[in-house]
Structures are given as C-alpha cells and as structure tokens.
Amino acid sequence: VSSLSMADRIPIPELKKKLASSKKPVVVDVREASEIKESGWIPGAIHIPMRQIEKRMNELPKNADIVFY
C-alpha cells in the first residue's frame, strides 16, 4: 500500500468473516497504547500508532490484505 487514501471501509461483520477465513488479513491497530488498554484489542493485531504508520509501513507484508483500525 503506497497511500492510506487507498483504504476502503468494511463493516464489522465482514471483518469477522475475513478473520475467520483461511486467508486472514493483517490487522493493524493504530490507536495509542492508552486507548488499547482502555478498550481492548483484536487478538493477533499489530500495534502501530497512527502517527508512526508512514515510517513503519515497511514492517507490513506487501502481498496481504491489511485492515487498519
């Protein structure tokens, strides 16, 4: 992904289906640590705060669906 503007929104039920499938997307939690502590997270999600996304994009797989939340 070269730009976050290429993202599409998906409804929660669709995300749940994707997470239950054999080809799971990579899930990236972009909230701050305090927000995660407060409200929980999706198991297996990668934590990259929103302000660090651009610098850390190289940590994400190039040939996978990626879900940011």
Side-chain angles (χ1 to χ4, degrees), residues 19-41:
L19 291 172
S21 74
S22 60
K23 189 178 178 208
K24 292 178 177 28
V26 173
V27 179
V28 180
D29 190 330
V30 298
R31 300 172 297 160
E32 294 298 325
S34 61
E35 295 173 283
I36 294 171
K37 191 174 184 180
E38 197 174 283
S39 60
W41 64 92

Side-chain angles (χ1 to χ4, degrees), residues 4-10 66-68:
L4 294 178
S5 64
M6 294 171 47
D8 292 327
R9 290 182 176 262
I10 62 170
I66 300 174
V67 176
F68 295 92

